[in-house]
């Protein structure tokens, strides 16, 4: 549309420039031959004129002097000069007027203006775009109508949101058979509001409702209503509902409705006035004097707290449907949907991948499958194996491998003992999650990491689990202190310290897990500083602030001391794991267990299209011994003695 507007004005400007240029060139004679009328009369009196030609139509005289020089003189009234020219015996010829036809006069004088007006009308009509958002159609609705030909979506294409499907089932049944409800005097909800984090499939769920019911589906964004001109948004709402009534029964889907449905009465500028008028019109159309039988509105937002209360009352968006992040079974179903188009290896396990992706939305899982397929193609594989899914998950969580990063042996050793400290502390703390992988391969901003694989989705955490998480997080810092000394401690534990402090703060101020503070929530207070007199806007006393600060410090200090004690007790395991990480760079949870119990690791050969055996998992039964020591044999002999005790 902008290109058409620019072309329109460019054509008008070019036409005027051409007309002006032609007119100037036709009227402008050569400057060197131009003489004034009195100069011509003097030359005639002196007898210096050889011959003249009089252009009667343009009142112009041209000719030559006796010395051969040509001349031109404009604006001469030749009738008054004829007697003088005859008296001086000046030879001249009269060039009569041309007989111009009406058609020629029209083409020359009228046609340019007709063309300019025609071009202007054509561009104006094209800018209107048949009533779809053109320059002269601000008030027309910008809703797009989707049909089955544009990609039908059903509930089979939507997974992991079973509760939301059940809530929307009534809408589908009403659209398919409304008499079933009318016979009992029931009214279907006018609007359904889908609430959930980004990427959970709210838009896909709305399209599935339309696909299941087989009715037209209008989609529009909340920002499409708001315009710089006051009243345009309300006009678009009216036009949208008029189109919907013509196609009833149908569904109108408004994505990101918080752009137009915010609380009224906030702000006084024109933009707010336009938004409020649009919201008022939407409220009237949804539940006003005029009914909208057969028109169901489905909207989506991830910020329900900012919506106007009138929009959420019964009769409008009276059904609010939560679309949460999928649980482990939901993630497994979503992965199955996205994996249908991907050739999979025999070792791919949906349940295992679902366990390792807590907190992933449907969009995140789709991206995970796509990244795995891209990695398999890059490695020239015909099928996507479990290795690609593992690497894709690491890439999504931590970023791509920084293979170009050059690390010294001292930095690699520091990273290895740091990550081994995390793993050893986590394995020896009650309430800790099972280890999934430990690596010193740099990814994103991290030089290494230890991943944990929960057995199930955690809805809440116990005090034991929180203490284990804090101790595990401080394991890296404690490992650096024990191995390299106080003065060699690096800044690599900054994110770990921040995590521990955050958990400790929540335990004291939100979850009531501090004996000194008690079960009192200080969540809404300013927690930037708990020093007496420093907390800005704080609603607590200086004494309480001091107690809170002391308790947070105590939790962090105890976590650090616990990590030091575990590493001192399990020093041999810690050193063994660090040395294995230096050699193999990446170890799985099973490999770590085999290493610490039996001192063996599975051998990992080169894989297709890869860079060797580092950084991946393999199920090859061949084993090798990692730095065998005489002390390892007595440990294996003492195993049977420990069985009766357990």
């Amino acid at each position: 549309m902008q290109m058409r507007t620019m072309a329109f004005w460019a054509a008008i400007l070019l036409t005027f420039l051409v007309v002006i240029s032609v007119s100037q060139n036709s009227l402008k004679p050569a400057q060197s031959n131009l003489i004034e009328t009195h100069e011509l009369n003097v030359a005639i009196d002196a007898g210096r004129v050889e011959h003249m030609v009089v252009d009667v139509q343009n009142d112009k005289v041209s000719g030559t002097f006796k010395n051969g020089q040509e001349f031109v003189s404009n604006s001469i009234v030749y009738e008054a000069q004829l007697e003088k020219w005859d008296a001086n015996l000046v030879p001249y010829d009269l060039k009569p007027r041309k007989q111009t036809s009406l058609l020629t006069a029209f083409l020359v004088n009228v046609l340019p203006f007709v063309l300019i007006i025609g071009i202007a009308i054509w561009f104006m009509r094209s800018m209107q775009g048949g009533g779809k958002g053109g320059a002269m159609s601000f008030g027309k609705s910008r809703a797009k109508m989707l049909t089955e030909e544009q990609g039908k979506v059903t509930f089979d294409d939507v997974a992991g949101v079973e509760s939301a499907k059940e809530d929307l089932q009534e809408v589908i049944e009403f659209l398919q058979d409304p008499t079933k409800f009318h016979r009992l005097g029931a009214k279907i909800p006018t609007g359904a509001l889908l609430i959930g984090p980004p990427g959970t499939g709210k838009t896909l769920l709305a399209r599935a409702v339309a696909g299941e019911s087989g009715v037209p589906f209008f989609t529009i964004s909340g920002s499409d209503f708001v315009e710089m001109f006051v009243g345009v948004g309300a006009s678009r709402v009216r036009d949208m509902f008029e189109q919907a009534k013509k196609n009833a029964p149908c569904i109108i889907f408004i994505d990101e409705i918080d752009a137009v449905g915010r609380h009224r009465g906030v702000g006084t500028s024109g933009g707010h006035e336009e938004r409020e008028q649009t919201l008022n019109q939407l409220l009237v159309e949804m539940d006003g004097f005029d009914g909208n039988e057969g028109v169901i509105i489905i909207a989506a937002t991830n910020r329900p707290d900012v919506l106007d209360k009138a929009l959420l009352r019964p009769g409008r968006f009276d059904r609010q449907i939560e679309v949460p992040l999928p649980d482990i079974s939901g993630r497994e179903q979503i992965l199955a949907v996205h994996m249908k188009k991907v050739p999979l290896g025999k070792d791919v396990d949906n349940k295992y991948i679902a366990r390792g992706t807590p907190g992933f939305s449907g969009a995140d899982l789709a991206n995970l499958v796509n990244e795995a397929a891209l990695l398999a193609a890059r490695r020239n594989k015909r099928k996507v194996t479990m290795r690609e899914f593992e690497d894709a998950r690491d890439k999504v969580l931590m970023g791509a491998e920084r293979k170009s990063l050059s690390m010294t042996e001292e930095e690699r050793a520091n990273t290895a003992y740091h990550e081994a400290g995390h793993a050893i502390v986590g394995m020896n703390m009650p309430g800790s999650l099972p280890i999934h992988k430990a690596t010193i391969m740099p990814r994103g901003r991290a030089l290494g990491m230890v991943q944990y694989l929960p057995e199930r989705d955690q809805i809440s955490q116990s005090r034991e689990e929180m203490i284990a998480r804090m101790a595990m997080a401080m394991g890296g810092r404690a490992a650096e202190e024990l191995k390299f000394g106080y003065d060699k401690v690096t800044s690599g534990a900054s994110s770990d310290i921040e995590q521990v402090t955050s958990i400790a703060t929540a335990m004291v101020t939100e979850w009531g897990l501090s004996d000194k503070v008690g079960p009192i929530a200080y969540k809404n207070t300013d927690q930037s500083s708990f020093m007496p007199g420093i907390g800005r806007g704080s609603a607590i006393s200086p004494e309480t602030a001091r107690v809170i600060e002391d308790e947070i410090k105590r939790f962090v200090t105890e976590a650090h001391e616990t990590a030091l004690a575990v590493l001192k007790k399990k020093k041999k395991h810690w050193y063994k794991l660090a040395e294995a990480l230096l050699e193999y760079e990446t170890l799985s949870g099973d490999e770590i267990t085999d290493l610490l119990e039996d001192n063996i690791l599975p051998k990992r050969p080169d894989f297709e299209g890869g860079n060797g055996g580092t950084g991946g998992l393999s199920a090859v039964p061949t084993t090798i011994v990692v730095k065998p020591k005489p002390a390892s044999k007595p440990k294996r002999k003492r195993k049977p003695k420990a069985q009766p005790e357990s």
Side-chain angles (χ1 to χ4, degrees):
M1 195 62 64
Q2 293 180 353
M3 293 298 296
R4 289 184 178 182
T5 305
M6 295 175 62
F8 166 66
W9 291 112
I12 292 179
L13 179 61
L14 182 61
T15 303
F16 276 111
L17 291 177
V18 171
V19 172
I20 293 174
S21 176
V22 171
S23 62
Q24 288 182 348
N25 291 334
S26 62
L27 298 176
K28 184 177 180 181
Q31 296 293 334
S32 59
N33 300 332
L34 183 64
I35 63 175
E36 299 292 337
T37 303
H38 70 277
E39 294 178 355
L40 178 60
N41 293 331
V42 171
I44 292 174
D45 294 338
R48 292 188 291 108
V49 178
E50 179 71 23
H51 184 269
M52 295 189 307
V53 176
V54 181
D55 188 351
V56 177
Q57 183 172 351
N58 298 318
D59 293 332
K60 181 174 67 175
V61 176
S62 60
T64 56
F65 293 113
K66 291 182 178 181
N67 59 3
Q69 182 180 358
E70 296 180 353
F71 67 88
V72 176
S73 180
N74 294 330
S75 303
I76 293 181
V77 183
Y78 71 93
E79 292 89 349
Q81 303 291 334
L82 292 178
E83 295 181 359
K84 183 177 182 179
W85 294 347
D86 292 337
N88 288 280
L89 303 177
V90 178
Y92 63 88
D93 295 327
L94 291 177
K95 186 177 180 181
R97 298 178 183 272
K98 294 182 179 179
Q99 296 297 325
T100 304
S101 63
L102 294 177
L103 178 61
T104 303
F106 173 79
L107 293 176
V108 173
N109 299 320
V110 181
L111 184 59
F113 297 100
V114 174
L115 289 176
I116 293 175
I117 296 174
I119 292 173
I121 294 175
W122 181 79
F123 272 103
M124 289 294 183
R125 291 177 62 87
S126 63
M127 288 167 65
Q128 292 181 15
K132 293 182 180 180
M136 302 298 293
S137 59
F138 289 112
K140 298 295 182 181
S141 171
R142 294 187 177 181
K144 299 178 182 178
M145 181 176 177
L146 302 180
T147 60
E148 294 186 6
E149 298 178 356
Q150 296 173 292
K152 182 178 179 180
V153 178
T154 64
F155 276 167
D156 294 335
D157 302 313
V158 185
V161 286
E162 300 303 324
S163 60
K165 289 182 182 180
E166 295 177 0
D167 291 335
L168 291 171
Q169 192 63 40
E170 290 181 2
V171 176
I172 297 173
E173 294 179 0
F174 173 80
L175 292 172
Q176 292 176 341
D177 185 16
T179 58
K180 173 183 176 181
F181 296 87
H182 292 162
R183 187 167 54 247
L184 298 175
K187 294 179 61 178
I188 198 69
T190 306
L193 181 63
L194 305 179
I195 303 172
T200 51
K202 298 185 291 295
T203 304
L204 189 64
L205 191 60
R207 291 190 62 181
V209 173
E212 290 286 343
S213 55
V215 298
F217 181 77
F218 291 89
T219 175
I220 191 172
S221 173
S223 59
D224 289 335
F225 292 110
V226 182
E227 194 64 66
M228 62 181 294
F229 303 104
V230 177
V232 172
S235 176
R236 288 177 179 172
V237 171
R238 287 191 295 269
D239 185 70
M240 180 182 67
F241 276 89
E242 288 177 2
Q243 294 182 33
K245 292 175 183 178
K246 294 177 182 178
N247 294 275
C250 67
I251 293 175
I252 297 177
F253 177 65
I254 306 176
D255 198 8
E256 304 296 342
I257 194 174
D258 51 272
V260 70
R262 289 174 175 265
H263 294 292
R264 289 172 291 180
V266 180
T268 57
S269 62
H272 289 288
E273 180 65 23
E274 160 65 1
R275 181 181 58 78
E276 290 187 5
Q277 288 191 16
T278 305
L279 176 58
N280 292 335
Q281 186 63 41
L282 181 62
L283 296 175
V284 172
E285 292 290 346
M286 291 185 67
D287 188 22
F289 285 102
D290 296 331
N292 292 314
E293 291 293 333
V295 179
I296 294 179
I297 303 130
I298 299 178
T301 182
N302 49 31
R303 303 182 62 189
D305 55 303
V306 302
L307 295 180
D308 193 89
K309 293 182 179 180
L311 199 62
L312 304 177
R313 75 159 176 81
R316 292 184 178 130
F317 286 115
D318 44 9
R319 176 163 295 187
Q320 301 180 23
I321 302 173
E322 290 287 342
V323 188
L325 292 171
D327 55 13
I328 186 170
S329 61
R331 292 195 299 273
E332 183 179 349
Q333 297 172 11
I334 294 173
L335 286 170
V337 171
H338 293 297
M339 287 179 178
K340 289 180 180 179
K341 302 179 181 179
V342 178
L344 301 176
K346 295 181 180 180
D347 60 340
V348 176
D349 186 1
N350 284 7
K351 294 182 179 180
Y352 186 79
I353 300 174
R355 280 181 55 201
T357 53
F360 275 46
S361 64
D364 295 329
L365 295 172
N367 183 43
L368 175 67
V369 176
N370 183 62
E371 287 290 343
L374 292 176
L375 286 175
R378 193 179 306 165
R379 295 169 180 174
N380 297 322
K381 289 188 174 183
R382 295 184 179 180
K383 294 185 177 181
V384 184
T385 64
M386 196 66 183
R387 175 182 176 80
E388 279 69 49
F389 282 102
E390 289 284 347
D391 293 344
R393 191 190 62 155
D394 293 344
K395 183 178 181 180
V396 171
L397 290 174
M398 303 294 295
E401 290 184 0
R402 300 166 59 188
K403 296 180 180 180
S404 60
L405 180 63
S406 178
M407 295 177 61
T408 63
E409 289 300 323
E410 182 180 356
E411 290 172 336
R412 290 185 77 250
N414 187 290
T415 304
Y417 281 93
H418 181 106
E419 300 303 332
H422 284 308
I424 295 299
V425 174
M427 294 177 67
N428 290 275
M429 287 296 297
S432 181
L433 298 176
I435 292 181
H436 171 62
K437 180 189 295 185
T439 179
I440 60 171
M441 178 67 70
R443 285 183 177 273
R445 300 173 60 183
L447 298 179
M449 61 177 175
V450 175
Q451 295 180 355
Y452 291 84
L453 191 64
E455 297 289 343
R456 57 177 180 82
D457 290 341
Q458 289 186 300
I459 301 176
S460 60
Q461 294 182 353
S462 64
R463 184 197 298 266
E464 182 183 58
E465 292 172 340
M466 297 175 195
I467 293 175
R469 284 181 58 191
M470 290 191 293
M472 183 274 298
M474 295 301 294
R477 175 62 176 266
E480 292 185 21
E481 294 179 4
L482 293 176
K483 174 61 180 177
F484 303 103
Y486 181 82
D487 294 330
K488 295 291 184 178
V489 173
T490 66
S491 60
S494 59
S495 60
D496 300 329
I497 296 174
E498 182 178 354
Q499 178 185 2
V500 173
T501 305
S502 176
I503 296 174
T505 302
M507 291 177 66
V508 176
T509 62
E510 298 180 34
W511 302 329
L513 298 179
S514 170
D515 295 334
K516 290 186 177 180
V517 176
I520 302 175
Y522 295 100
K523 182 178 180 180
N524 296 327
T525 60
D526 183 8
Q527 299 172 7
S528 59
S529 175
F530 290 103
M531 291 297 291
I534 297 181
R536 294 168 295 177
S538 178
I540 59 177
S541 64
E543 294 78 10
T544 304
R546 173 66 70 182
V547 173
I548 293 176
E549 183 187 14
D550 292 340
E551 283 295 280
I552 294 174
K553 185 177 181 180
R554 180 179 67 83
F555 277 122
V556 175
T557 304
E558 289 180 355
H560 182 240
E561 293 175 351
T562 302
L564 288 172
V566 171
L567 291 179
K568 290 177 181 178
K569 183 178 180 181
K570 300 292 182 178
K571 183 177 181 180
K572 291 182 179 180
H573 285 180
W574 168 38
Y575 274 45
K576 186 187 299 184
L577 178 56
E579 292 173 1
L581 286 174
L582 285 173
E583 183 174 355
Y584 291 91
E585 291 188 340
T586 300
L587 296 174
S588 69
D590 294 336
E591 291 172 339
I592 294 175
T593 302
D594 293 340
L595 170 66
L596 300 182
E597 291 183 356
D598 301 323
N599 202 38
I600 56 175
L601 283 172
K603 184 179 179 180
R604 287 174 278 181
D606 295 344
F607 61 87
E608 298 179 12
N611 299 321
T614 61
L617 305 181
S618 177
V620 181
T622 308
T623 58
I624 60 173
V625 178
V626 180
K627 292 188 178 182
K629 298 180 182 180
S632 61
K633 292 183 178 179
K635 289 184 179 179
R636 298 181 67 179
K637 291 180 180 180
R638 286 197 297 266
K639 266 189 170 181
K641 298 180 181 180
Q643 290 179 358
E645 297 177 2
S646 62

